[in-house]
Amino acid sequence: MDTMYALTVGIDTLWVLLGAILVFFMQAGFGMVEAGFIRAKNTCNILTKNFLDYCMASIGFFVFGYAIMFGDGNAFMGLNGWFLEGARSGTNVPLYAFWLFQAAFCGAAATIVAGGVAERMKFIAYLIYSFLISSFIYPIIGHWIWGGGWLSALNFSDFAGSTVVHTTGGVAALIGTIILGPRFGKYSPDGKAHAIAGHNIPIASLGVFILWFGWFGFNAGSSLSVGNGELIARVAINTNLAAATGGIVAMLTVWKMFGKPDLSMAMNGALAGLVAITAGCAFVDPWASIAIGAIGGILVILGVVILEKLKIDDPVGAFPVHGVNGIWGTIAIGIFGRQSLGLAYNGLLYGGGLKMFFIQLLGVSSVAIFVIISMGIIFKVLDLTIGLRVNREEELKGLDIGEHGMEAYSGFQVFVTE
């Protein structure tokens, strides 16, 4: 019996570590997407921010974050387990394996913001933001939902992070880009928006494929065990179907609205489908994942259009992809979710009425409000102290030279005056 138990723990540990490695590799995907969607003169800067995001998340989540997220405490936050001393995994796998998996998620939430504030945020301000969200803001939200906090007590459901990871990162990106203001040249004096094209769509495409690949670890790995093969298979197929549908519907939507099947929008549609299905991938049937992904593909296009009309400059679509669809995917559980698949209550389409819907709506709204307030304070304090934005000359020359003294493409002239 002891031997069988040890074997089970070993296999589960291997599964969780595999998931952690896949989620870690998603940092490369985020880096490639964000680098491809911005201008060449800021490539080193965005990649350095992505790289340091995971470094900051690892240290911050080790010292403070895990204790706040999973430590014993109250409905708001955990209060013990600093530096993992006395901490517990609360799962079938060893603490260190569970920590690594959760740290990878923490890094993903932090790095979402890099795209929204790209091409104009000071590097030092970004490092401080990254440490604070990883150490305190993200773990508090994680405690509410996954650590036994007040939303968990209400039977709020988020299987793999549409709210915990994506709504948190997406809304933080929105607040950051609003406080920073648009890039120079994005809007003319009459308010007309100008497209600032990304410099490397092939690299962005590679990034999307890496993210899609890593998302199987993100979602299926969240089972934290290989014991239920049916659950893992359902999560995997739902993840894939939502991504594929999101990409197709986003392409058709942008084609209809603007006359061309824009690749960048189609790729963001696939990411939108992935974000949207993340909360409910374990709790819905495959047909529902197609519906969730399809709506996500439409919402991401509408989100981009609305932000442009509001003169909010989000260079890579961080909020439409992660914020809008994190919210949508969370709420969708209340429509398509099934009690027989692990929910506390059936969704609307399965005779559960609006109870689950309103629980989900309350949860994701509370998280969004908390992020708006907390990250608004953090960004504003940084702006008033060390400054949040580089000066005009540095922005025009590019942050690669101004912030890092190096170029992504040495020997190629990339200086422009826009």
Side-chain angles (χ1 to χ4, degrees), residues 280-365:
C281 54
F283 309 126
V284 303
D285 291 319
W287 73 266
S289 70
I290 292 174
I292 291 169
I295 294 172
I298 296 171
L299 289 176
V300 71
I301 305 300
L302 296 179
V304 169
V305 171
I306 291 170
L307 286 188
E308 290 231 327
K309 290 186 181 299
L310 294 174
K311 297 183 176 60
I312 298 173
D313 183 16
D314 184 344
V316 307
F319 178 69
V321 171
H322 300 278
V324 171
N325 280 284
I327 293 168
W328 156 238
T330 302
I331 295 172
I333 289 179
I335 301 171
F336 300 100
R338 293 179 57 189
Q339 188 175 13
S340 62
L341 297 180
L343 289 179
Y345 312 102
N346 276 320
L348 179 64
L349 296 183
Y350 289 91
L354 292 172
K355 186 168 187 176
M356 195 70 206
F357 179 87
F358 283 122
I359 290 172
Q360 297 299 107
L361 182 61
L362 171 66
V364 76
S365 299

Side-chain angles (χ1 to χ4, degrees), residues 42-128:
N42 298 307
T43 304
C44 285
N45 179 261
I46 199 77
L47 291 176
T48 309
K49 287 172 178 173
N50 273 271
F51 178 75
L52 267 297
D53 268 325
Y54 191 75
C55 297
M56 289 292 183
S58 294
I59 301 303
F61 198 70
F62 175 76
V63 177
F64 304 109
Y66 189 88
I68 293 171
M69 192 162 173
F70 294 105
D72 297 326
N74 52 47
F76 184 76
M77 62 183 287
L79 297 171
N80 68 346
W82 316 107
F83 293 88
L84 299 187
E85 288 297 322
R88 301 188 304 271
S89 78
T91 68
N92 194 43
V93 300
L95 170 64
Y96 294 166
F98 185 63
W99 177 87
L100 188 63
F101 186 74
Q102 294 297 335
F105 273 58
C106 181
T111 208
I112 289 167
V113 179
V117 300
E119 303 201 286
R120 62 222 194 268
M121 185 172 178
K122 284 184 178 179
F123 183 65
I124 183 62
Y126 187 87
L127 290 184
I128 296 171

Side-chain angles (χ1 to χ4, degrees), residues 55-403:
C55 297
M56 289 292 183
S58 294
I59 301 303
F61 198 70
F62 175 76
V63 177
F64 304 109
Y66 189 88
I68 293 171
M69 192 162 173
F70 294 105
D72 297 326
N74 52 47
F76 184 76
M77 62 183 287
L79 297 171
N80 68 346
W82 316 107
F83 293 88
L84 299 187
E85 288 297 322
R88 301 188 304 271
S89 78
T91 68
N92 194 43
V93 300
L95 170 64
Y96 294 166
F98 185 63
W99 177 87
L100 188 63
F101 186 74
Q102 294 297 335
F105 273 58
C106 181
T111 208
I112 289 167
V113 179
V117 300
E119 303 201 286
R120 62 222 194 268
M121 185 172 178
K122 284 184 178 179
F123 183 65
I124 183 62
Y126 187 87
L127 290 184
I128 296 171
Y129 138 78
S130 182
F131 185 78
L132 292 176
I133 195 173
S134 301
S135 301
F136 304 106
I137 307 303
Y138 172 85
I140 287 173
I141 293 166
H143 181 78
W144 293 358
I145 297 167
W146 292 340
W150 70 276
L151 284 176
S152 174
L154 293 177
N155 293 310
F156 177 86
S157 291
D158 182 9
F159 185 75
S162 287
T163 293
V164 177
V165 177
H166 298 285
T167 300
T168 298
V171 173
L174 176 66
I175 297 305
T177 194
I178 288 173
I179 293 175
L180 274 171
R183 292 167 290 175
F184 289 116
K186 177 62 180 177
Y187 297 99
S188 58
D190 63 2
K192 183 179 179 182
H194 299 286
I196 299 179
H199 85 284
N200 197 326
I201 296 302
I203 284 292
S205 302
L206 175 63
V208 172
F209 279 118
I210 291 173
L211 286 171
W212 192 333
F213 173 74
W215 228 289
F216 291 111
F218 201 98
N219 286 358
S222 292
S223 66
L224 302 177
S225 168
V226 297
N228 189 341
E230 184 178 341
L231 168 65
I232 294 169
R234 181 169 63 253
V235 168
I237 190 173
N238 286 342
T239 299
N240 195 68
L241 289 174
T245 310
I248 293 169
V249 172
M251 180 198 69
L252 294 175
T253 303
V254 76
W255 200 347
K256 175 68 174 177
M257 291 177 68
F258 302 107
K260 297 290 183 181
D262 186 291
L263 173 59
S264 63
M265 290 295 197
M267 292 191 296
N268 266 349
L271 296 179
L274 288 164
V275 170
I277 199 58
T278 295
C281 54
F283 309 126
V284 303
D285 291 319
W287 73 266
S289 70
I290 292 174
I292 291 169
I295 294 172
I298 296 171
L299 289 176
V300 71
I301 305 300
L302 296 179
V304 169
V305 171
I306 291 170
L307 286 188
E308 290 231 327
K309 290 186 181 299
L310 294 174
K311 297 183 176 60
I312 298 173
D313 183 16
D314 184 344
V316 307
F319 178 69
V321 171
H322 300 278
V324 171
N325 280 284
I327 293 168
W328 156 238
T330 302
I331 295 172
I333 289 179
I335 301 171
F336 300 100
R338 293 179 57 189
Q339 188 175 13
S340 62
L341 297 180
L343 289 179
Y345 312 102
N346 276 320
L348 179 64
L349 296 183
Y350 289 91
L354 292 172
K355 186 168 187 176
M356 195 70 206
F357 179 87
F358 283 122
I359 290 172
Q360 297 299 107
L361 182 61
L362 171 66
V364 76
S365 299
S366 300
V367 168
I369 292 168
F370 176 71
V371 174
I372 289 170
I373 294 171
S374 59
M375 291 310 306
I377 292 171
I378 288 172
F379 281 130
K380 201 62 185 175
V381 169
L382 287 173
D383 193 31
L384 294 173
T385 51
I386 62 174
L388 206 59
R389 183 166 180 158
V390 300
N391 61 46
R392 178 185 175 89
E393 180 183 1
E394 192 170 330
E395 184 175 337
L396 292 176
K397 287 183 177 179
L399 275 63
D400 286 4
I401 294 295
E403 294 268 59

